[in-house]
Amino acid sequence: MPSIPLHKMPVYAPASGRSRHHRFRFLPRRMWRLRRLVHSHWRALVVTALTISTVYFVFAIRKKALTSSRAKYANLQAFQREVGLGEMLFGAPEDEFEKEFRDKSRLPPCVETMEETPRLHTGDPLLSYFLSMYVDGMEVTWSSDVNSRSSLFQALQDYMLMMVEADVRVIWSDPKTRKNGTAMITPSASKSDEDSLPLQRYLYYVARYSNKGIQLNFPDVESANVALPVLKDMRTQLHAPVWLHADILPGPNRADFPIDPVQFVTAVQNNFVSSTLSLGWATDWSPDAPQIRYSWFNVIEMAKICAGVRQPVTFAIRAVYALRSMRQLRFLLSLASRFTVTVWMDKYDIMPLPDLGNFRRNMDPKRIFYNLPNNFMESIKNVNGQQPPPLDSDSVQWNRNLWQPVLMDDVSLVFLGAEQVVLEGTGSWIVSKVPYQAEMQSKGRMVVVEGKLQFLNRDPTAVAKKEAARIIIRSSGVNPPEPSMVQGVQLLVRPDGFIELSEINMKHAHMFDVRTSAHLPQSDCYNFKLVDKGEDYPIYCEVKMVKCESDEADVEPLLVSLHFKAPYEPQTQMFYVVANAAGGKQALVIENLVVYS
């Protein structure tokens, strides 16, 4: 009989007494020992198995997250330096930022440091966040071109610095197909070097170690589309003001559109609406540049874009054009209280310091920020900012609260500013909210309507003969009646110099000589004055050529006067004053349109 190894010999074991079948079990000796081991230590084995399973799933999840994150980073070596296995398992490593700023108060000091849970102020105005006790935008301090790890480290050490400005660029993993882009803060547009930072890490440093706000500049729509989702994911970590800047319109001496305005504004509203839009114009400058200011076309196009935006907006203004653009900028700021201006300067610009002081002296200090070099900031410190005086303080001032805009179609617009009204399109009207009737016989009161007209023609070599400005007195108003049925006495002024005073839709006009006209030389700007002393006296008008801007060469002081007599028609006349841009699609600016007795 062959011998059987000891470890394979059968073991006689009686079945459990609880078993239904009383039989013997023959098991190898090793299996018997394993059975006894499991029976004695089953709890420890279960705990061990659960531990191994947990560790396996943790590493599996981390690996999946790492793979997903790597797809968002073009430079994998930089990513691996930023995010290693130790950081994934145990948190961020102790880098130079952590060593320098750990356990230190956030800079600059802020009320938020006294609260256990910081509130989110990404959409707050700068003055209310940083300087609640001050009313001057010049007190807000800036650091521009903070486009590297080292410059950010230095900026976070600055006790007085409030706003950090950086440029966002996209690094593509495949530049040909432009896929898998990474939003980077890098000093070089062509590559990502060791001093660069992914936008997410950049924002993390600013938010974790400071109370400073941040302005991100986007050179194109692609950079905005890649970067804004990162901001959206970090919206609960960002607590200080966030400005998002792009040049969306052509400005002085430029004709191209750097970024599509609709795409950029829509992208911001879809991803990070709790921010301030910083919108600017693409500009060029040289000592002999033909355009020396932001034109009315520039600010009107910007006003159209911002009309439907409900978040704070700041307009980036190049300093060399600021002083000569005060009328346009004051108009733009007056359209909404959420609008501000940020003055900036290119390093090659030649900016006379007196111009900067005069600009500050004539603008509202609460609405103007200055992102300028330190030597320029020192030069205007002693210039007192105050509530700006009217640019034409010698005349009665326009009061927009006395006027009602009326739009008769979908393509016309009316902008009521603090000193001007802009009408564009034949369906654009403004009507006085109260009637003005001369009462010479009873109270000796006459009605005077005056103002300044400026025709905006995109082609200065051509005269738009169809364009005209109409000022109507003794009017029945608009809507109702329809524009074609508006009644009253009309002063019509065209940019080719044609002037006419006439009646419109008056029933008894045939009894009087109610049409008279004259010509002046072609001009973009005219002053007008209408005087109504009542039906017993002739209606008198005076139109004069003037220069459009104060720094332009003087024009020959040519003037025409017209008058005729027209009766009252009390059954239909309601004595409102009406203004309208008739005949074309170009805009009309009326400054200091006033009615007085």
Side-chain angles (χ1 to χ4, degrees):
M1 183 175 181
S3 59
I4 301 175
L6 183 62
H7 67 277
K8 292 186 177 180
M9 291 183 66
V11 178
Y12 173 77
S16 174
R18 299 179 182 178
S19 175
R20 295 177 54 190
H21 305 284
H22 299 280
R23 59 187 178 85
F24 295 97
R25 293 182 179 179
F26 294 89
L27 299 173
R29 188 177 298 275
R30 285 185 179 180
M31 294 299 293
W32 174 253
R33 289 177 180 175
L34 181 61
R35 181 177 182 273
R36 287 200 309 176
L37 179 64
V38 172
H39 184 73
S40 302
H41 303 285
W42 67 272
R43 292 181 178 85
L45 293 174
V46 170
V47 171
T48 303
L50 291 175
T51 302
I52 294 173
S53 300
T54 302
V55 172
Y56 171 79
F57 282 112
V58 167
F59 273 90
I61 293 172
R62 293 292 186 179
K63 183 178 180 180
K64 185 177 181 180
L66 177 61
T67 304
S68 175
S69 300
R70 279 178 175 174
K72 300 179 181 179
Y73 288 81
N75 191 337
L76 291 181
Q77 293 181 352
F79 172 74
Q80 291 169 353
R81 287 196 300 270
E82 289 294 329
V83 184
L85 180 62
E87 178 177 351
M88 290 190 296
L89 291 177
F90 306 109
E94 187 178 49
D95 58 8
E96 69 271 24
F97 287 86
E98 181 71 15
K99 292 178 181 178
E100 173 68 20
F101 302 111
R102 181 180 56 192
D103 301 328
K104 290 185 179 180
S105 299
R106 289 175 172 175
L107 300 178
C110 181
V111 172
E112 296 298 322
T113 59
M114 298 187 299
E115 299 181 0
E116 295 182 359
T117 304
R119 296 171 54 195
L120 305 182
H121 295 280
T122 55
D124 281 11
L126 297 191
L127 289 183
S128 63
Y129 179 79
F130 289 116
L131 302 165
S132 58
M133 298 180 63
Y134 297 91
V135 289
D136 197 335
M138 193 186 69
E139 300 296 333
V140 177
T141 54
W142 298 75
S143 180
S144 300
D145 299 325
V146 186
N147 291 327
S148 63
R149 176 191 289 268
S150 56
S151 60
L152 177 62
F153 185 84
Q154 184 178 2
L156 295 186
Q157 290 179 313
D158 190 339
Y159 181 85
M160 297 300 296
L161 183 62
M162 299 176 188
M163 290 293 292
V164 175
E165 181 183 3
D167 302 320
V168 179
R169 298 184 175 95
V170 179
I171 307 298
W172 303 98
S173 59
D174 187 353
K176 293 183 179 179
T177 60
R178 303 181 78 83
K179 293 182 178 180
N180 298 330
T182 303
M184 301 287 292
I185 305 297
T186 171
S188 172
S190 59
K191 63 179 181 178
S192 175
D193 57 21
E194 294 183 357
D195 209 21
S196 302
L197 281 172
L199 176 61
Q200 186 173 15
R201 177 65 62 177
Y202 191 95
L203 296 174
Y204 169 81
Y205 285 143
V206 175
R208 179 175 175 82
Y209 301 119
S210 77
N211 285 323
K212 304 183 191 305
I214 186 168
Q215 174 177 320
L216 298 177
N217 302 326
F218 300 99
D220 47 46
V221 173
E222 290 176 333
S223 61
N225 290 335
V226 174
L228 288 173
V230 177
L231 284 164
K232 183 178 181 180
D233 293 340
M234 297 189 66
R235 61 187 180 276
T236 58
Q237 303 176 42
L238 303 173
H239 55 88
V242 174
W243 284 19
L244 305 176
H245 172 80
D247 292 333
I248 61 173
L249 289 174
N253 307 303
R254 287 282 291 272
D256 56 312
F257 281 80
I259 294 181
D260 183 270
V262 176
Q263 291 185 23
F264 178 73
V265 173
T266 302
V268 171
Q269 293 180 330
N270 290 340
N271 289 277
F272 203 70
V273 70
S274 180
S275 62
T276 295
L277 273 172
S278 174
L279 304 179
W281 297 262
T283 60
D284 280 334
W285 180 86
S286 65
D288 56 349
Q291 191 173 342
I292 60 174
R293 64 171 50 85
Y294 291 93
S295 69
W296 281 107
F297 289 115
N298 296 146
V299 298
I300 291 172
E301 291 302 316
M302 186 66 78
K304 292 178 184 178
I305 294 170
C306 297
V309 176
R310 293 295 173 261
Q311 64 196 102
V313 180
T314 188
F315 304 106
I317 300 299
R318 196 163 182 165
V320 289
Y321 300 121
L323 179 65
R324 293 184 175 91
S325 308
M326 282 195 299
R327 287 183 183 272
Q328 292 80 3
L329 297 179
R330 285 168 62 136
F331 162 77
L332 196 57
L333 287 177
S334 69
L335 297 180
S337 60
R338 64 182 184 279
F339 291 170
T340 58
V341 161
T342 303
V343 180
W344 63 277
M345 178 182 296
D346 189 84
K347 60 182 178 180
Y348 298 111
D349 290 351
I350 300 175
M351 178 68 194
L353 292 179
D355 287 1
L356 196 60
N358 290 336
F359 175 79
R360 173 168 165 75
R361 200 172 287 113
N362 287 280
M363 300 295 287
D364 187 347
K366 300 187 297 296
R367 312 282 296 279
I368 311 296
F369 301 104
Y370 298 88
N371 186 0
L372 300 174
N374 290 333
N375 57 330
F376 284 88
M377 296 300 294
E378 291 293 332
S379 67
I380 62 174
K381 268 189 174 180
N382 296 326
V383 178
N384 293 326
Q386 56 187 353
Q387 189 66 28
L391 293 178
D392 297 320
S393 56
D394 296 336
S395 60
V396 180
Q397 296 302 304
W398 148 268
N399 185 351
R400 60 181 165 187
N401 296 320
L402 300 178
W403 299 86
Q404 177 67 41
V406 178
L407 296 177
M408 301 304 298
D409 54 51
D410 295 334
V411 297
S412 299
L413 61 85
V414 177
F415 286 124
L416 297 177
E419 297 168 318
Q420 306 93 351
V421 57
V422 173
L423 308 174
E424 182 175 294
T426 57
S428 58
W429 299 75
I430 57 170
V431 183
S432 62
K433 293 182 178 179
V434 296
Y436 296 91
Q437 180 178 357
E439 299 178 357
M440 283 298 296
Q441 294 178 348
S442 59
K443 299 181 180 179
R445 185 177 66 183
M446 63 180 179
V447 174
V448 180
V449 183
E450 62 180 20
K452 176 183 176 181
L453 305 173
Q454 181 172 352
F455 298 96
L456 304 182
N457 190 356
R458 294 184 183 272
D459 184 5
T461 62
V463 180
K465 295 184 178 181
K466 294 183 179 180
E467 306 290 334
R470 297 200 296 169
I471 309 297
I472 307 171
I473 61 174
R474 300 185 185 179
S475 172
S476 51
V478 183
N479 194 29
E482 293 301 312
S484 60
M485 300 303 295
V486 171
Q487 184 194 50
V489 177
Q490 167 184 275
L491 171 64
L492 186 141
V493 182
R494 294 204 309 239
D496 61 357
F498 177 75
I499 315 295
E500 182 181 76
L501 185 65
S502 63
E503 59 80 25
I504 52 174
N505 296 323
M506 294 178 64
K507 295 180 180 180
H508 304 293
H510 63 279
M511 300 172 57
F512 297 84
D513 183 10
V514 289
R515 186 174 300 272
T516 180
S517 63
H519 271 88
L520 283 172
Q522 172 187 335
S523 178
D524 289 334
C525 295
Y526 299 91
N527 278 350
F528 71 90
K529 184 176 182 179
L530 269 169
V531 180
D532 183 7
K533 296 183 178 181
E535 63 177 342
D536 295 333
Y537 295 85
I539 295 175
Y540 170 82
C541 80
E542 181 179 281
V543 180
K544 180 172 62 174
M545 290 177 55
V546 293
K547 57 184 180 180
C548 296
E549 300 289 346
S550 59
D551 56 358
E552 293 180 352
D554 291 334
V555 299
E556 189 175 355
L558 297 179
L559 178 148
V560 295
S561 301
L562 301 174
H563 61 86
F564 68 67
K565 194 173 182 181
Y568 281 164
E569 296 188 2
Q571 294 181 353
T572 55
Q573 288 180 338
M574 302 178 67
F575 298 96
Y576 291 102
V577 179
V578 175
N580 170 238
K585 298 181 180 180
Q586 303 294 352
L588 169 69
V589 180
I590 307 179
E591 293 191 77
N592 284 334
L593 176 59
V594 294
V595 184
Y596 59 92
S597 300

